[in-house]
Each structure stands twice: as C-alpha cells, then as structure tokens.
Amino acid sequence: MSQKQVDALVVGAGFGGIYQLYRLRQLNLSVRVIDTASGSGGTWYWNRYPGAMSDTESFVYRYSWDKEDLQIYPWTHHYVKQADVLAYLEHVVERHDLGKYMQFNTELLSAEWNSTTNRWDIKLSDGDTYSVRYLVTALGLLSKANYPDISGISTFKGRICHTAAWPKDLDLTNKRVGVIGCGSTGVQVITDIAKDVKSLTCFQRHPQYTVPSGDRPVQPEYRKWVNQNYDDIFDQVKNSAVGFGFVESTVPFDTVKSPQRREEIFEDLWKQGNGFRFFFGGFSDLATNREGNEAACSFIRNKISQIVKDPEKARKLSPHDYYARRPLCDGGYFEQFNRPNVEVVLLTEDPITSITPEGIQTSSALHELDVIIFATGFDAIEGNYNRVRIRGRNGMTLKEKWDPVGPTSYLGVAVPNFPNLLMITGPQGPFSNLPPAIEAHVDLISGLIDRAEGFRRRSRPGDVNKPKLIEALPEAEEAWSRECEQAAEGSLFKETASWIFGQNIPGKKYAIRFYFGGLKAFYQAVQRVIDGGYTGFATLEDKVEDEE
Ligand code: FAD
Ligand code: NA7
C-alpha cells in the first residue's frame, strides 16, 4: 500500500488535538487527526465512570480562544460533568467543521524519522502508512490507564473494569462493589455510587486530603458577570500560578501568627470549596512550609473526624502524610462512609493478597463482590509515548532516551534529535489547570510550524541557508530541565509519592515531570523564546545540508 502524504499528523482528539487541528487548518496545512477512541473528547471520551467531572470550575475549564463561543455556550453548574465536557468538545469540533479531518479507532503504532525525505514515516493500526512533515502528539498526560498487577485477576467471576474504560452496559444497582484506589477518580466514583449499590468496599492504600467542591447550579447573575469579564478572567488565569480562576494568596503561613485566624482562613476556604483554592487561595506556601502544610492537614483531619461518625472508619480515612498530591475536591465523599453499606479497608494494615473467583482477599478477610472497579490512575505523562515506537534522527527511540533519566524536553514541546516532533503537554510542561497550558503549547507549536513553513515558501532550489526543521537544541533542553528542577526545589510534593513524580507505577523512574514555576512564568518563558526568534530551537540550516 502506498504511503499517504499530509503536512501534519495530529495524534489525539482531546482538548489538545482539537485546538491544534484548528490552528493548523488556519495555516492551510493538510492535516489528519487520529485517535484510538471512536470519537473526539480524549479524557472525556474515555472516563465515563459515574461521578466523573472536572475539578477545575466550569468557567475556566474550556478554551479561551473562541470568544464568541465563550459568551453563548451554556453550562449549568459550577463544575462540568464528563458528559458536559464531552458535549462541549464535540460542539467545538462541529462549530469549526473539524470532524472531516478526523479518523477514529486508529492508533499510532510507530513513527520513524526518515532523514532522506526529512519527514516522519508513520504506521497506523488500520494498516495505513503516512509520510508527514510534522508529527504533533496530543496523547494526553493522563490517558494510559494503570492496571495493577494483582494475582488472580483473571479468575474473578464478576465484572472488572477500570474507570478510564468504563463499560456502557455496567449497572451497579444493588451490586456488591469493590473500588480499589481513592485518588481523584476513586473519590468521585465512590461519592456517586454509594447510594445505589448494595455494598461498597473501598480498598484504600493512602487516604487522601479532599475538601468540598462547592458545586451548585449557576445563577443567571453569575453567568452574566462571567460573560462581561471573560477577557479579564482569562488574563488573570494566564497570569496566575495554577490557572484555576481564583486569586492565589500572597500571604506566607508564618505571617499569620494567630491560630484562630489560621483556622478561620481554612474554614472560609472549606466553605468556598475547590481543592486548588483550598491549597493555594489562603496561604502562599502550603507546598513548601511544613508547619503550614501540617496545619492544613490537621484542619482536614478534624473535619473528617467530625463528618465520619464511626471513629474506626474516620481513623482509616485520615491521611498522615504531607498534603502534597494534586489537591482534590468532592461532592460529599467522607459523608458516604456514614452509610451502613459503605466500608473502608486500609491496605497498609490489611493488604490485598489476591483476587479470587468470589472477590478480593486481604490478609484478614475475603470480601465477596460482584464488581471490582479499578480507580488506580494512570501511567502518567510519558506512558502513552512509551507504547509507540518513535525513532528520531540519531536512531534512538524516545523511550530509549527517557528510560535512563526520566522524561525531559524543552518547554514540554520538543526533544533534541526528534525534528518536527511537537508534543502538547509533553513532560516538563506546566503543572496547572490544563486547558490554558494546552493553549500555550498549541500556540507555540503553531508559531514554530508557521515560521518553518515561511522558510519553506521563501526558499528556492539550490539556495543555501534554508531553515525548515524544528528541533530543540540539547543545551535548551538541559537548561529547561534545570529550571524545572529549581522550580520544584523545596516542594513537599517532591517528598510525597504520587503520579506527579512517577511513583505510582512500580519501577517507574522518579523524575521532575512538571514545571512548577507557574502558568504565568511559563507563558513568560514562551514569550521570551518567541521574542528571541524562537531561541533554543535549531532549524535545518544548523543541522543538515540538503533539503528534501
Ligand atoms: P487527552 O484528553 O487525554 O486525549 C488524548 C487522546 O490521545 C486520547 O483520546 C487517546 O485515546 C489518544 N491517544 C493516545 N495515544 C494514542 C495513540 N498511540 N494513537 C492514537 N490515539 C492515541 N485537567 C484539568 O486541568 N482539570 C480537571 O479538572 C481535570 N479533571 C480530570 C478528570 C479526569 C477523570 C481525568 C482522567 C483527567 C482530568 N484532567 C483535568 C486532565 C485532562 O486529561 C486534561 O484536562 C485534558 O482533557 C487533556 O487533554 P489532551 O487533549 O491533552 O489529552
Ligand atoms: P491517582 O491519583 O493516581 O490515584 C490512584 C489511586 O489508586 C491511589 O489511591 C492509589 O493508591 C491507588 N492504587 C494504585 N495502585 C494500587 C494498587 N496496586 N493497590 C491499591 N491501590 C492502588 O489516579 P486518579 O485517577 O484518581 O487521578 C489521576 C488524575 O486524573 C487526577 O489528578 C485528576 O486530574 C484526574 P496510593 O495513593 O498510590 O497509595
């Protein structure tokens, strides 16, 4: 079968892939978007578990670039549920007539740099092969599901599912259900299903700090205010640290001396709702100040003991490590444990030994179940990259490059020796609300491609100095990685095991996988790169003598 040719292949049809397609079509490039899913939406196509919702508030969990759509697109609650986000992304695809460039049920299997053509040779799961000038990966940083290796899984007589691949026909009503994992996803699914199931057993390894989301219906006056202020809102988002649409505190914990005042601040945040607001909205340094962090932990533990009536359940649900994972929020999680049908098993005391035909066997008991739900998270950041063979200009694959040291990049978008490979939310991108981070990446990538295309258009046969390829310089990648290290310096997040640093998967390398300097600093860094004429990016004239 002959190779198909397009200018750009975009892999992934979530927030990142959709916006990238829109921008590349504006540049008049021929583009194909593929996704293994059967439709667009990415995260929100896959994660259809009961209770799935965004924990970024609705008004900023969307694109900022379509100002007309921002004014008219409806949302009913302060948080968007899975179906709402999916409908929104499908709407964007339709509104901009992007569907005709998309191909679903198609996986990227491999991409090999061809130094004769200066293009990527692509193999897809449907047997098609492509030759493309630009390969843009919008694979998602939380989209490769993590299935823990527990002995006996295949012997279970009931249903097993992962929250990130939720079966459409699964009815939990009156079933005996076990949920393994209580991160953001576990908290959401447990809160949603507890009332419907016959029994719910939560297998919890590390209890989590979670605060109320504060979800409620949107009042017309609030929506009117948002619409009137959308420019300022997104300006604030892009000039903030985490981009969640609230003003982050500049008050160091130590400057508030009175214990009573500290308590009042936490109480006010608890009432307002939202995990990121609780963490970043009252004090400026809960991520680095041990005493401040412990004060927040103690406040939440007190809330748990007040909410959960059974002291033994409250004990098991109370975390004791730092409050330094992705901050969670919920719609009444701890309250569910007051239901007589909801139990919690603390796996550090009573570990799972196997899955049997009847259920989950822990050291102390067999928990008989009809359904086991894995809410065990993702092989985050580079997980999706590692399962595709992406071989660069020096013959090395991305996996071979990243395995020994952990995944690195320049600004989260480019890697030396992988010309014209551009990543959306690649490793060492910003730790923030993701849509504005994705927009920063897509805008940078689009600028790089526009510039490279400009060089192409201007070049004449036989010319010298015709820069065309986009590639991160090794020294730029090293400097950016150092900046990521420095930005994470002193953070308690570094000392607390989670997917953010790769500690949720056995054998995965501990590494700085995010830029913790904040969204504002990231946008500024990108602007400096653009203003400097795309500093840190080499072009063909620096690397190769001949053009294609
Ligand atoms: P994704 O939406 O993950 O899309 C990636 C797509 O790439 C997928 O559809 C996948 O099928 C496809 N793909 C991957 N590999 C291949 C391949 N080899 N071939 C073909 N296709 C491939 N972020 C926030 O900022 N706020 C939130 O509140 C929030 N809540 C979340 C809740 C859940 C349950 C989850 C799982 C994530 C949440 N996130 C949240 C993170 C969320 O992933 C991002 O906000 C955003 O949706 C990511 O968009 P994306 O386009 O980068 O990637
Ligand atoms: P997380 O936050 O990685 O949570 C996964 C949970 O699964 C967490 O409680 C883990 O316990 C638990 N887990 C993982 N493996 C096991 C095994 N083998 N045994 C028992 N428990 C296990 O993933 P989420 O999907 O909740 O959230 C990820 C992001 O997606 C989130 O930030 C949102 O943005 C959406 P642990 O804490 O590691 O002890």
Side-chain angles (χ1 to χ4, degrees), residues 494-514:
K494 271 177 81 176
E495 299 180 29
T496 312
S498 80
W499 60 267
I500 295 171
F501 290 89
Q503 295 127 302
N504 63 327
I505 307 283
K508 195 165 171 175
K509 180 110 188 139
Y510 174 90
I512 308 291
R513 286 177 167 77
F514 281 100

Side-chain angles (χ1 to χ4, degrees), residues 169-184:
D169 64 334
L170 183 58
D171 180 8
L172 298 175
T173 318
N174 236 5
K175 298 276 191 327
R176 298 167 303 168
V177 178
V179 176
I180 303 179
C182 63
S184 165

Side-chain angles (χ1 to χ4, degrees), residues 148-282:
D149 187 15
I150 302 175
S151 77
I153 290 184
S154 61
T155 67
F156 182 56
K157 285 189 306 202
R159 300 258 327 240
I160 292 200
C161 65
H162 194 288
T163 48
W166 193 261
K168 280 190 181 140
D169 64 334
L170 183 58
D171 180 8
L172 298 175
T173 318
N174 236 5
K175 298 276 191 327
R176 298 167 303 168
V177 178
V179 176
I180 303 179
C182 63
S184 165
T185 302
V187 164
Q188 289 182 353
V189 78
I190 287 165
T191 306
D192 196 86
I193 67 177
K195 61 187 182 314
D196 302 321
V197 298
K198 183 173 183 182
S199 68
L200 179 56
T201 314
C202 307
F203 297 88
Q204 172 204 254
R205 203 162 55 183
H206 285 94
Q208 291 261 20
Y209 299 98
T210 166
V211 307
S213 66
D215 195 16
R216 60 201 181 283
V218 163
Q219 300 303 324
E221 310 79 64
Y222 170 75
R223 180 63 201 257
K224 195 171 157 202
W225 174 84
V226 170
N227 276 12
Q228 283 170 349
N229 291 282
Y230 246 137
D231 284 348
D232 291 343
I233 287 168
F234 274 114
D235 192 49
Q236 190 275 337
V237 161
K238 291 172 189 178
N239 281 293
S240 69
V242 290
F244 270 68
F246 61 85
V247 177
E248 289 132 6
S249 172
T250 52
V251 178
F253 181 79
D254 291 341
T255 62
V256 180
K257 303 286 181 211
S258 150
Q260 192 194 338
R261 179 69 198 127
R262 292 170 175 174
E263 194 77 0
E264 281 166 8
I265 291 172
F266 285 131
E267 186 64 42
D268 182 47
L269 293 165
W270 179 272
K271 288 202 178 101
Q272 287 187 57
N274 190 279
F276 276 76
R277 183 183 285 111
F278 189 90
F279 198 92
F280 294 100

Side-chain angles (χ1 to χ4, degrees), residues 170-430:
L170 183 58
D171 180 8
L172 298 175
T173 318
N174 236 5
K175 298 276 191 327
R176 298 167 303 168
V177 178
V179 176
I180 303 179
C182 63
S184 165
T185 302
V187 164
Q188 289 182 353
V189 78
I190 287 165
T191 306
D192 196 86
I193 67 177
K195 61 187 182 314
D196 302 321
V197 298
K198 183 173 183 182
S199 68
L200 179 56
T201 314
C202 307
F203 297 88
Q204 172 204 254
R205 203 162 55 183
H206 285 94
Q208 291 261 20
Y209 299 98
T210 166
V211 307
S213 66
D215 195 16
R216 60 201 181 283
V218 163
Q219 300 303 324
E221 310 79 64
Y222 170 75
R223 180 63 201 257
K224 195 171 157 202
W225 174 84
V226 170
N227 276 12
Q228 283 170 349
N229 291 282
Y230 246 137
D231 284 348
D232 291 343
I233 287 168
F234 274 114
D235 192 49
Q236 190 275 337
V237 161
K238 291 172 189 178
N239 281 293
S240 69
V242 290
F244 270 68
F246 61 85
V247 177
E248 289 132 6
S249 172
T250 52
V251 178
F253 181 79
D254 291 341
T255 62
V256 180
K257 303 286 181 211
S258 150
Q260 192 194 338
R261 179 69 198 127
R262 292 170 175 174
E263 194 77 0
E264 281 166 8
I265 291 172
F266 285 131
E267 186 64 42
D268 182 47
L269 293 165
W270 179 272
K271 288 202 178 101
Q272 287 187 57
N274 190 279
F276 276 76
R277 183 183 285 111
F278 189 90
F279 198 92
F280 294 100
F283 298 100
S284 59
D285 55 354
L286 294 189
T288 49
N289 182 318
R290 285 169 207 269
E291 197 197 338
N293 192 280
E294 175 48 33
C297 297
S298 155
F299 178 88
I300 298 176
R301 278 196 296 268
N302 278 340
K303 288 287 183 192
I304 298 171
S305 64
Q306 286 161 18
I307 296 168
V308 182
K309 306 281 178 263
D310 176 347
E312 181 57 5
K313 281 188 192 171
R315 182 188 70 79
K316 289 179 182 171
L317 289 163
S318 295
H320 289 279
D321 41 9
Y322 287 122
Y323 181 24
R325 297 192 169 109
R326 192 176 188 279
L328 308 187
C329 61
D330 64 82
Y333 173 66
F334 294 117
E335 285 81 348
Q336 305 310 315
F337 294 87
N338 291 331
R339 295 178 187 273
N341 65 331
V342 182
E343 289 299 329
V344 55
V345 177
L346 185 55
L347 298 179
T348 44
E349 293 175 355
D350 187 11
I352 296 174
T353 53
S354 65
I355 293 182
T356 73
E358 288 75 31
I360 293 181
Q361 177 74 54
T362 63
S363 294
S364 74
L366 172 66
H367 303 267
E368 293 191 21
L369 301 167
D370 304 311
V371 180
I372 299 176
I373 298 171
F374 282 91
T376 43
F378 300 89
D379 181 354
I381 325 287
E382 74 271 34
N384 272 322
Y385 285 87
N386 284 345
R387 62 180 172 185
V388 182
R389 194 179 62 241
I390 302 179
R391 193 181 298 286
R393 179 161 82 64
N394 62 355
M396 194 182 252
T397 65
L398 212 43
K399 183 170 174 359
E400 285 162 351
K401 173 181 162 62
W402 283 345
D403 266 354
V405 285
T408 54
S409 77
Y410 181 39
L411 299 167
V413 301
V415 179
N417 289 314
F418 293 82
N420 287 2
L421 168 68
L422 296 151
M423 303 178 292
I424 302 170
T425 68
Q428 302 186 328

